[in-house]
Structure formats: structure tokens, C-alpha cells
């Protein structure tokens, strides 16, 4: 969820989502003029309808590019650095809708994913447990939470990726 209860999207993610929606609407209109006679065409048609509806709802309620408060709390729109179990390597990802485009230089984890749900609301130093879809339980320690766009070399202040 975003700051106002909708999904959080970067300005780039919002524009890419609009572009995908426009492309799907165009292809959907052209396909709807033909009768879908085979199962594959019907399945593609139904998938497009669901995706169009999802993207429309996402765009209507989205918080776009507004960075959350720099309070160190894990929430949508924050870039999180975590340690999983006792692994010396850390993981860094953007907590945001994962089914929309995002800059390729950063991983995205949805707040609805098991890891996203586990860290949501955590503060630096908090350790949470997470049950993965395969049944494995891991511990996740939040090391840092910074608003998207405030993490220096990874992303610039406009929320667009460098390069």
C-alpha cells in the first residue's frame, strides 16, 4: 500500500504501467472485433481483460513518486537493506508493487509477498520471521530503510534510475 492506501509507484513505473495499459487496450480492441474460436485465443483474451482491469485499478489508486518519510520504517516506496538468516551478504530491494515495471538496477518485492509482509512496519535492527511458499522459515533483519530516490549511487532524486 502507498502513502494514501493505494499502491506506491515511482514516476517511471507509473508511466510504464500507463504505456502497458494503452498497448493492451489497443490490442484488446482489435482482437475483440474477431471471434475467438480456439481455446488459446479465448484464454489470451480473458488474461488481457484481467490485466487491463488490474492496471486500471492500480493506476487509479496509486501514490506516484511521493517518497515516504525518511523515518527508517519499512513501507512501500522504501529501499530496504536486509540480512537473511546469518548470511554475511545483504540484500537490497524496493518495497513496491512487483507486477509493474521498475528500474532494472534494483530488485522489487511486493508488500503482499511473504518477505514484504514480514518486513512491513519493521525498523532498523528488527528481526522478523518469514515463511516461504516452500514451507521454509527464514529470519530477516532490517538493516536500513531509505525512501526511494535517496540512496545515492543506485537511484537519482527524481526516482528515475541513472543511465
Amino acid at each position: 500500500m502507498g502513502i494514501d492506501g493505494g499502491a506506491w509507484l515511482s514516476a517511471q513505473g507509473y508511466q510504464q504501467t500507463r504505456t502497458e495499459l494503452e498497448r493492451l487496450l489497443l490490442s484488446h480492441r482489435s482482437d475483440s472485433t474477431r471471434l475467438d474460436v480456439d481455446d488459446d485465443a479465448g484464454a489470451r483474451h480473458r488474461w488481457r481483460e484481467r490485466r487491463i482491469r488490474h492496471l486500471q485499478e492500480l493506476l487509479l489508486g496509486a501514490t506516484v513518486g511521493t517518497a515516504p518519510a525518511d523515518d527508517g520504517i519499512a513501507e512501500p516506496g522504501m529501499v530496504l537493506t536486509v540480512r537473511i538468516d546469518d548470511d554475511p551478504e545483504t540484500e537490497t530491494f524496493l518495497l513496491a508493487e512487483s507486477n509493474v515495471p521498475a528500474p532494472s538496477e534494483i530488485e522489487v518485492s511486493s508488500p503482499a509477498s511473504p518477505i514484504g509482509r514480514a518486513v512491513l512496519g519493521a525498523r532498523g535492527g528488527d528481526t522478523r520471521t518469514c515463511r516461504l511458499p516452500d514451507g521454509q522459515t527464514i529470519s530477516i533483519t532490517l538493516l536500513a530503510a531509505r525512501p526511494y530516490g535517496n540512496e545515492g549511487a543506485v537511484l537519482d532524486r527524481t526516482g528515475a534510475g541513472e543511465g
Side-chain angles (χ1 to χ4, degrees):
M1 299 300 236
I3 297 165
D4 67 358
W8 185 92
L9 297 172
S10 68
Q12 177 185 8
Y14 181 84
Q15 187 56 49
Q16 289 174 327
T17 303
R18 282 189 52 159
T19 300
E20 179 187 355
L21 177 60
E22 290 167 7
R23 183 183 52 77
L24 284 170
L25 286 168
L26 284 172
S27 69
H28 192 61
R29 283 188 201 113
S30 66
D31 279 356
S32 66
T33 61
R34 297 188 298 262
L35 280 173
D36 292 333
V37 292
D38 65 60
D39 290 340
D40 287 343
R44 283 191 304 273
H45 183 81
R46 287 187 299 279
W47 176 86
R48 256 194 319 274
E49 285 179 336
R50 285 191 305 273
R51 183 68 177 160
I52 287 168
R53 195 169 27 258
H54 171 75
L55 293 176
Q56 288 171 330
E57 291 171 3
L58 183 66
L59 292 171
L60 280 173
T63 298
V64 181
T66 304
D70 192 0
D71 55 9
I73 298 173
E75 63 182 301
M78 299 292 269
V79 175
L80 308 180
T81 302
V82 300
R83 173 166 283 117
I84 298 177
D85 291 328
D86 292 325
D87 190 337
E89 297 291 319
T90 61
E91 304 287 332
T92 299
F93 60 89
L94 171 63
L95 190 60
E97 290 298 314
S98 59
N99 58 350
V100 296
S104 60
E105 63 271 1
I106 189 164
E107 294 292 321
V108 177
S109 186
S110 169
S113 71
I115 289 177
R117 285 192 313 268
V119 298
L120 199 59
R123 294 180 181 275
D126 287 355
T127 298
R128 306 273 179 91
T129 58
C130 173
R131 186 174 185 91
L132 300 176
D134 67 2
Q136 179 185 6
T137 300
I138 60 172
S139 67
I140 303 169
T141 302
L142 180 66
L143 303 175
R146 296 173 309 280
Y148 178 80
N150 288 353
E151 49 290 330
V154 176
L155 304 166
D156 67 26
R157 294 197 175 279
T158 65
E162 293 180 347

